[in-house]
């Protein structure tokens, strides 16, 4: 008999013997099936291995190249094919490296730029250096001479041992040279060809900015301009505008604006008071005829050098909102008058916008949108703009984002506001190996941190740069020289 299904031994019982034989046969068959499955699996693995190639050995790690030196990086980053302005040379460990020049492609200056830095750090000399070279490249220049010391570029500079030593250190073969210059002045206040604008061409948006009007008052002023155009009443002087406002709140004139919502006496009173104060401050001389023609700023001389147009502004230093807005008016006129030309190999005009923070301070949203749109679109008219101010934070983000080239002179961090401005400036630069927060406070006069837009439209490496010396005088031109130039002006 079996116990627990296991055969205990042979038996004489035929039935039991048959059952034991059947169990043994089933066990043998199960073992055969298990072996067959193992053999089939082994065969499948062998077939798969035969089809797949042996894995390639892992490649040896590539050798890590030695890091490129800052000199080689700058040499490669500022090697341009087309004409370029020579700004200066790289500074390495406090010493200039003439083998690594820092430059701006002339063709990229229609992508705009920024020259920034604290007072007395060399911004004006950088502006002069760029203006001289642009003129030599056949590009006309417009610049506001805020302090009256840019006029020196019109006469050759004077040599000195200190100047020649500095130039020798950066590999500059310095020679004195003057630049063809036209002198203009707002409204005839000062020495220069008078620059004026009609009130109508100035427009309500810019005028509201100068008069510090709120949104409602600006809208009402726009209504006055609209009525004057429809009625055929030219607005040439501030007196013309005052007369129009007075007419529209008079018994006779009220009906003229009935369909347009009318003009409240209270708002008209504010506009009139601001216009009277504006005129009493001397601003009335800036409005009138003849109005300057924008093509007068796009001239070259007989030698093909671009003429530098300097607008003298010291006489209106007490009206900063006026002269900064007047500069914006000139840009707006250029945008309106010039045809579309697309991307030229060099700009027709580079417009230096000095003391740019005065334009944006406390400006309305609509005004800032107008400025940003003009900056964005005027490139296609062949005009480049370089804003000159103290810190990048003086320029709205929408405008700053459109500035391709940056020349940042020293910043100071003596106060919490200074420190905040320094951090904001550092955040606007591409990644670099410099500790910019430290470098920007260590720059000497005539040094700057530079990054520009390359000919391919990419930012160049950030470079601590010792700038070249201008070839014109770094002192104001003699008054008799300016007077003679104005008398000879066409």
């Amino acid at each position: 008999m079996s116990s627990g299904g296991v055969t205990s031994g042979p038996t004489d019982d035929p039935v039991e013997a048959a059952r034991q034989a059947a169990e043994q046969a089933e066990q043998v068959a199960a073992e055969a099936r298990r072996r067959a499955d193992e053999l089939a699996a082994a065969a499948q693995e062998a077939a798969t291995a035969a089809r797949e190639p042996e894995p390639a050995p892992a490649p040896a790690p590539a050798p890590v190249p030695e890091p490129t030196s800052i000199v080689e990086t700058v040499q490669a980053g500022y090697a341009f094919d087309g004409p370029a302005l020579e700004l200066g040379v790289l500074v390495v460990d406090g010493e200039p490296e003439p083998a690594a020049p820092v430059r701006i492609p002339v063709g990229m200056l229609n992508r705009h730029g920024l020259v920034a830095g604290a007072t007395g750090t060399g911004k004006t000399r950088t502006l002069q250096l760029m203006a001289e070279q642009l003129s030599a490249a056949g590009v006309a220049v417009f610049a506001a001479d805020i302090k009256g010391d840019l006029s020196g570029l019109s006469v050759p500079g004077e040599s000195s041992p200190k100047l020649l030593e500095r130039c020798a250190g950066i590999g500059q073969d310095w020679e004195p040279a003057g630049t063809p210059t036209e002198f203009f002045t707002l409204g005839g206040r000062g020495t220069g060809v008078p620059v004026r604008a009609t009130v109508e061409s100035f427009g309500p948006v810019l005028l509201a900015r100068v008069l510090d009007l709120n949104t409602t008052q600006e809208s009402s002023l726009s209504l006055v301009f609209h009525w004057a155009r429809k009625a055929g009443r030219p607005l040439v002087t501030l007196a013309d505008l005052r007369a129009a406002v007075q007419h529209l709140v008079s018994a006779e004139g009220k009906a003229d604006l009935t369909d347009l919502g009318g003009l409240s006496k209270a708002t008209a009173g504010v506009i009139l008071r601001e216009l009277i104060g504006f005129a009493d401050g001397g601003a009335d001389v800036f409005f009138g005829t003849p109005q300057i023609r924008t093509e007068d700023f796009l001239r070259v001389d007989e030698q093909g050098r671009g003429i530098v147009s300097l607008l003298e502004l010291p006489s209106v230093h007490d009206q900063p909102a006026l002269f900064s807005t007047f500069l914006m008016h000139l840009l707006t006129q250029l945008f309106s008058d010039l045809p579309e030309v697309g991307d030229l190999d060099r700009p027709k005009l580079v417009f230096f916008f000095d003391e740019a923070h005065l334009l944006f301070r406390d400006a309305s949203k609509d005004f800032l949108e107008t400025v940003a749109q003009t900056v964005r679109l005027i490139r296609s008219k062949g005009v480049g703009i370089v804003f000159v101010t103290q810190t990048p934070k003086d320029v709205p983000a929408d405008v700053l984002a459109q500035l391709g080239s940056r020349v940042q002179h020293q910043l100071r961090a003596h106060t919490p506001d200074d420190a905040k401005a320094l951090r904001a400036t550092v955040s606007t630069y591409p990644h670099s190996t410099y500790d910019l927060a430290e470098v920007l406070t260590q720059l000497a006069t005539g040094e700057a941190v530079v990054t520009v837009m390359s000919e391919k439209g990419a930012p160049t490496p950030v470079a601590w740069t010792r700038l070249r010396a201008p070839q014109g005088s770094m002192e104001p031109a003699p008054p008799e020289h300016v007077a003679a130039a104005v008398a000879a002006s066409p």
Side-chain angles (χ1 to χ4, degrees), residues 253-268:
K254 276 185 176 181
D256 293 348
L257 291 181
T258 300
D259 295 338
L260 300 175
L263 176 65
S264 75
K265 280 193 173 183
T267 299

Side-chain angles (χ1 to χ4, degrees), residues 23 28 39 78 132 169 173 189 203 205 248 252 397 422 429 439 442 475 479:
E23 286 182 353
V28 170
L39 291 172
Y78 290 85
E132 290 177 350
D173 186 13
R189 290 174 60 177
V205 174
L248 291 173
E252 178 187 354
L422 177 62
Y429 269 84
V439 170
Q442 294 179 349
E475 300 293 332

Side-chain angles (χ1 to χ4, degrees), residues 39 47 75 86 142 192 216 282 291 312-313 373 387 394 420 459:
L39 291 172
Q75 286 174 331
E86 300 291 341
F142 178 94
T216 300
Q291 183 167 252
E312 182 186 346
L313 291 175
Q373 182 182 40
F387 290 99
D394 294 332
K420 183 178 179 180

